[in-house]
């Protein structure tokens, strides 16, 4: 195959791949979930939001700042919402609104709860909590007791 033909073939392949990416990206992104943030949840769940503000989860990132661990990814991921995910926490300067353990940290990304969709975790189980409250990190964690406090003091 001549160089000219090879160059044209390579260019055509690149054009086809880029075209596919362009036209398929909206279809593929419909399946991905995005974090919306606390303000989104508060619109319909104001009572839960008000209680949550009094809970320790609301101040989770602040607890890391007090111990100077707020730059350690292995710690941050359990003290913010959506760390490393689309729409989630990046850092305190770029996405301060995603600090703390908010609704979506336990119930899933808010984009799954839009337009009549109810594809969220309505009642997170102990396995959800244990992703952060590990035996090593929180040996006295009592799911039954903590689950009733997560939306604030009763």
């Amino acid at each position: 195959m001549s160089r000219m033909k090879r160059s044209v073939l390579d260019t055509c392949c690149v054009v086809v791949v880029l075209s596919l990416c362009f036209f398929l990206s909206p279809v593929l992104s419909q399946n991905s979930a995005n974090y919306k943030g606390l303000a989104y949840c508060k619109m319909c769940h104001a009572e839960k939001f008000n209680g949550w503000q009094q809970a320790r989860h609301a101040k989770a990132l602040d607890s890391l700042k007090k111990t100077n661990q707020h730059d350690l990814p292995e710690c941050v991921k359990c003290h913010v919402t959506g760390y490393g995910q689309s729409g989630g926490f990046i850092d305190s300067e770029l996405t301060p609104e995603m600090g703390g353990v908010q609704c979506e940290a336990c119930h899933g990304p808010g984009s799954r709860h839009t337009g009549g969709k109810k594809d969220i975790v309505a009642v997170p189980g102990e396995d959800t909590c244990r992703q952060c409250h590990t035996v090593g990190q929180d040996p006295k964690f009592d799911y039954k007791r903590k689950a009733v406090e997560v939306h604030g003091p009763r």
Side-chain angles (χ1 to χ4, degrees):
M1 181 179 299
S2 72
R3 275 192 163 156
M4 182 66 147
K5 286 182 181 179
R6 179 69 183 173
S7 179
V8 170
L9 182 61
D10 287 346
T11 302
C12 288
C13 287
V14 168
V15 169
V16 168
V17 168
L18 290 175
S19 297
L20 283 172
C21 290
F22 177 77
F23 289 109
L24 288 178
S25 65
V27 173
L28 296 174
S29 68
Q30 288 175 0
N31 294 326
S32 65
N34 296 306
Y35 286 82
K36 303 290 234 169
L38 194 57
Y40 177 80
C41 301
K42 181 182 171 183
M43 289 188 298
C44 299
H45 305 284
E47 186 177 325
K48 296 284 187 191
F49 167 80
N50 292 334
W52 170 85
Q53 286 184 301
Q54 307 305 311
R56 292 180 68 192
H57 276 170
K59 300 159 191 68
L61 185 57
D62 294 336
S63 71
L64 285 184
K65 290 178 181 178
K66 289 178 186 175
T67 59
N68 205 29
Q69 296 176 312
H70 60 281
D71 289 328
L72 301 174
E74 62 273 12
C75 297
V76 171
K77 68 181 181 180
C78 286
H79 291 253
V80 300
T81 301
Y83 185 73
Q85 304 295 317
S86 179
F89 185 86
I90 297 171
D91 64 36
S92 293
E93 288 184 29
L94 293 173
T95 53
E97 71 281 1
M98 299 306 286
V101 180
Q102 302 175 15
C103 313
E104 295 170 290
C106 304
H107 296 282
S111 67
R112 293 184 180 157
H113 195 49
T114 60
K117 294 180 191 171
K118 304 295 182 202
D119 190 17
I120 61 162
V121 180
V123 181
E126 185 171 357
D127 58 327
T128 299
C129 301
R130 284 288 182 191
Q131 291 176 27
C132 291
H133 294 275
T134 64
V135 174
Q137 284 287 45
D138 196 352
K140 296 180 181 178
F141 180 75
D142 179 349
Y143 172 75
K144 289 182 180 174
R145 186 172 60 83
K146 293 288 188 174
V148 298
E149 299 173 358
V150 75
H151 294 123
R154 302 230 176 235

